């Protein structure tokens, strides 16, 4: 049975680049979204023009609310569910040592891990995140709890256990042997990859191969993971890690990685070129299902290589501010042709909400120095938080906007849930130019919305926030 939803629709149609997003922005103030019995978009358009076959159906009237595609978070840490706003008195590497490794070690306790899985799914759902690339726990039973709870809540997720095979004493509980690292990853793929439907192209659940970052693993691990990944690529398995995040002089992650591996670029470590002098030592982990978080300090050659392999960057400006990592250069990164999608990086970021990430992106990029500064178009912001995320997950053909026959992942956004937003939308001055007025409304919405604005969440046409 089809469902008709009424509201002000915003989405980015087609398959545009981020530079083309403004021209692809669709705004339908008196809109109707029709979802068929299989959870696919049957119609997205003006209410007045609903096709005859759906006219008699009793609509779900969300007006004066909005209908937006579900948000896609391309980088978020499950084992940091209870580690937001952790104070360690330092930047990335100090914060990991003092706050994060001890927090993540708690998930060895199955009761704690189950609590974390329930809270993690509740928080991402409340934030309107319908699909996510989730950096997993080191502990298999914690990952089992995460996959099971995600399935119960009907959400989309790609996740894999965080792999660590080397590190300092504070990280010891998270480290495994070389052999066990591979065995546990293989077993997670066999247990959870596409388990919900048995088919990778219809599943909501997928598995990724996730070394924490190059500094947390050895050359042998990278070589073994390259072999493993090569053997499961055609099953639609993902690769996920961190890249070029923090370059604090002396103690930064980028310089440390290049020194430890003796490579020309950080990306080489994931590209099979992890031997001294960036000599090839194994198979590449890059590709269309590979997402690297941050990319703040990429060389031009690294951006070119990400683009040519179809790998994506999870852009996490809230986290980059929290950890003092700097600003991913917006113009240079998108000019290289790399897909850039939004990530919260919770608990490196202290927001669960993709709109809060988009708001931070707007602020940091308008503040980039000189010619690099850019005022992001609201359509670029919406694109980065929705369709670009679906593209980064290599599932653009399935969701990310309201094009006909896509799976209907959408949010009912009710400004009344956030009085300051409601007042801004009702009283704010709008341009006489209808296009600018449209953009002003979308901008106000994205900048001003938060969890309390999100009234209902649907994945594949099914409401998922009421379970
Ligand atoms: N690099 C390695 N581990 C982490 C992590 O947990 N968070 C962030 N932001 N960066 C990392
Ligand atoms: Zn991260």
């Amino acid at each position: 049975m089809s469902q008709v939803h009424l509201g002000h629709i915003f989405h980015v149609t087609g398959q545009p680049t981020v530079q083309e997003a403004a021209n692809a922005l669709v705004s339908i103030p008196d809109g109707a979204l029709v979802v068929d019995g299989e959870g696919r978009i049957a119609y997205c358009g003006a209410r007045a023009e609903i096709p005859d076959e759906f006219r008699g159906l009793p609509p779900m009237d969300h007006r004066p609310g909005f209908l937006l595609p579900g948000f896609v978070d391309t980088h978020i840490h499950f084992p940091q569910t209870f580690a937001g706003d952790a104070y360690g008195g330092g930047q990335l590497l100090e914060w990991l040592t003092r706050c994060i490794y001890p927090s993540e070690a708690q998930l060895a306790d199955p009761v704690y891990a189950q609590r974390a899985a329930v809270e993690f799914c509740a928080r991402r759902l409340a934030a309107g995140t319908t699909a996510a690339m989730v950096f997993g726990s080191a502990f298999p039973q914690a990952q089992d709890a995460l996959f099971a709870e995600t399935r119960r809540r009907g959400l989309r997720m790609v996740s894999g256990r965080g792999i660590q095979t080397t590190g300092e004493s504070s990280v010891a509980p998270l480290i495994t042997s070389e052999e066990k690292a591979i065995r546990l990853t293989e077993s997670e793929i066999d247990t959870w990859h596409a388990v919900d439907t048995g088919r990778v192209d219809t599943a909501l659940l997928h598995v990724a191969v996730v070394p924490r970052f190059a500094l947390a693993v050895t050359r042998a691990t990278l070589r073994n993971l390259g072999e493993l990944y090569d053997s499961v690529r055609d099953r639609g398995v993902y690769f996920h890690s961190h890249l070029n995040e923090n370059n604090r002089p002396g103690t930064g992650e980028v310089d440390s990685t290049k020194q430890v591996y003796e490579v020309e670029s950080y990306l080489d470590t994931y590209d099979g070129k992890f031997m001294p002098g960036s000599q090839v030592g194994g198979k590449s982990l890059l590709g269309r299902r590979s997402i690297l978080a941050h990319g703040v300090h990429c060389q031009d050659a690294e951006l070119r290589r990400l683009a040519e392999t179809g790998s994506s960057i999870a852009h996490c400006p809230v986290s980059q501010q929290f950890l003092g990592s700097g600003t991913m250069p917006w113009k240079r990164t998108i000019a290289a042709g790399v897909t850039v999608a939004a990530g919260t990086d919770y608990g490196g970021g202290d927001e669960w909400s993709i709109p809060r990430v988009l708001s931070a992106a707007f602020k940091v990029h308008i503040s980039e120095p000189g010619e690099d500064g850019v005022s992001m178009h609201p359509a670029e912001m919406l694109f980065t938080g929705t369709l670009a995320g679906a593209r980064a997950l290599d599932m653009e053909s399935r969701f990310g906007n309201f094009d006909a026959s896509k799976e209907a992942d959408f949010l009912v956004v009710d400004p009344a849930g956030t009085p300051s937003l409601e007042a801004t939308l009702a009283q704010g001055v709008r341009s006489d130019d209808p296009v600018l007025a449209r953009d002003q409304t979308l901008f106000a919405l994205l900048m001003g919305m938060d969890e309390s604005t999100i009234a209902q969440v649907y994945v594949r046409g099914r409401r998922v926030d009421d379970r």
Side-chain angles (χ1 to χ4, degrees):
M1 169 87 161
S2 301
Q3 276 176 351
V4 179
H5 295 269
L6 304 180
H8 184 157
I9 293 171
F10 274 116
H11 76 124
V12 177
T13 189
Q15 300 176 332
T17 62
V18 62
Q19 294 94 333
E20 295 163 346
N23 285 334
L25 178 63
V26 174
S27 167
I28 313 169
D30 193 4
L33 190 68
V34 182
V35 180
D36 71 18
E38 305 204 316
R40 293 179 185 277
I41 308 284
Y43 172 77
C44 172
R47 181 170 62 98
E49 290 162 27
I50 291 186
D52 287 345
E53 57 188 300
F54 306 123
R55 265 182 202 277
L57 297 173
M60 297 175 73
D61 194 349
H62 307 295
R63 295 173 297 173
F66 296 83
L67 302 173
L68 298 183
F71 293 117
V72 183
D73 188 342
T74 56
H75 182 63
I76 180 166
H77 291 260
F78 159 52
Q80 295 173 21
T81 296
F82 299 124
D85 282 326
Y87 177 71
Q91 294 196 359
L92 174 66
L93 296 182
E94 297 93 345
W95 169 81
L96 285 172
T97 302
R98 294 177 196 156
C99 308
I100 294 306
Y101 297 147
S103 296
E104 294 195 4
Q106 302 302 309
L107 276 84
D109 171 1
V111 175
Y112 188 94
Q114 174 62 24
R115 200 177 298 139
V118 170
E119 175 69 5
F120 179 85
C121 292
R123 291 273 63 77
R124 64 163 280 200
L125 209 163
T129 296
T130 49
M133 171 64 91
V134 179
F135 204 104
S137 165
F139 305 106
Q141 96 288 335
Q143 285 298 97
D144 291 344
L146 175 67
F147 274 107
E149 178 65 7
T150 305
R151 187 178 193 176
R152 189 186 76 76
R153 308 253 13 197
L155 297 166
R156 291 184 200 271
M157 179 177 75
V158 182
S159 184
R161 69 173 291 272
I163 301 165
Q164 299 188 234
T165 51
T166 184
E168 32 165 317
S169 58
S170 76
V171 82
L174 306 178
I175 291 180
T176 67
S177 67
E178 300 287 352
E179 182 273 320
K180 195 170 175 190
I182 301 303
R183 185 159 42 82
L184 292 179
T185 302
E186 280 171 342
S187 148
E188 186 171 22
I189 294 168
D190 291 341
T191 309
W192 289 110
H193 189 57
V195 69
D196 51 315
T197 65
R199 280 186 43 189
V200 66
D201 57 343
T202 56
L204 296 182
L205 302 177
H206 298 93
V207 174
V209 171
V210 186
R212 179 167 210 122
F213 61 165
L215 286 175
V217 293
T218 63
R219 287 195 174 100
T221 306
L222 288 173
R223 183 178 303 113
N224 294 339
L225 290 179
E227 292 294 325
L228 169 62
Y229 193 55
D230 203 51
S231 72
V232 293
R233 261 183 203 269
D234 63 357
R235 288 167 61 190
V237 173
Y238 290 80
F239 170 72
H240 189 43
S241 194
H242 295 93
L243 173 74
N244 283 324
E245 177 178 0
N246 187 291
N247 204 17
R248 186 184 183 166
T251 58
E253 161 229 21
V254 180
D255 284 345
S256 302
T257 304
K258 289 201 277 192
Q259 276 160 21
V260 167
Y261 279 91
E262 303 171 66
V263 286
E264 282 150 26
S265 80
Y266 192 148
L267 187 66
D268 285 343
T269 61
Y270 303 136
D271 200 12
K273 300 193 283 182
F274 47 73
M275 300 304 283
S278 291
Q279 294 293 306
V280 174
K283 299 211 162 76
S284 177
L285 294 158
L286 306 182
R288 291 175 60 83
R289 293 197 171 202
S290 302
I291 301 181
L292 281 312
H294 299 291
V296 172
H297 306 283
C298 287
Q299 302 169 22
D300 286 342
E302 291 176 294
L303 293 177
R304 276 198 300 276
R305 183 69 182 142
L306 288 169
E308 93 184 2
T309 56
S311 309
S312 304
I313 289 179
H315 180 30
C316 311
V318 173
S319 158
Q320 286 147 18
Q321 289 183 310
F322 183 77
L323 292 171
S325 299
T327 301
M328 186 202 78
W330 179 260
K331 279 191 184 175
R332 192 163 74 85
T333 308
I334 63 167
V338 184
T339 297
V340 175
T344 58
D345 195 19
Y346 201 90
D350 58 351
E351 299 278 4
W352 290 89
S353 152
I354 286 295
R356 301 308 305 144
V357 171
L358 301 174
S359 165
F362 181 85
K363 291 168 192 161
V364 298
H365 297 308
I366 203 169
S367 304
E368 287 192 66
E371 292 289 295
D372 295 335
V374 58
S375 169
M376 288 178 76
H377 191 284
E380 293 175 346
M381 295 164 64
L382 180 63
F383 171 84
T384 302
T386 57
L387 192 59
R391 186 174 299 167
L393 291 170
D394 200 25
M395 288 192 263
E396 186 177 11
S397 61
R398 293 183 59 188
F399 61 90
N401 64 15
F402 297 148
D403 288 352
S405 86
K406 280 202 182 177
E407 296 170 30
D409 289 14
F410 66 98
L411 311 174
V412 175
V413 175
D414 179 7
T418 308
S420 58
L421 172 62
E422 186 179 36
T424 308
L425 289 171
Q427 307 299 330
V429 174
R430 293 286 176 269
S431 171
D432 293 335
D433 170 1
V435 172
L436 182 53
R438 171 201 72 176
D439 297 344
Q440 289 169 332
T441 296
L442 177 59
F443 187 70
L445 189 62
L446 291 176
M447 296 295 282
M449 69 188 283
D450 56 26
E451 288 169 16
S452 54
T453 329
I454 295 174
Q456 297 179 13
V457 181
Y458 292 77
V459 172
R460 208 151 57 187
R462 250 175 84 206
R463 190 160 175 197
V464 294
D465 60 304
D466 55 355
R467 274 177 274 166

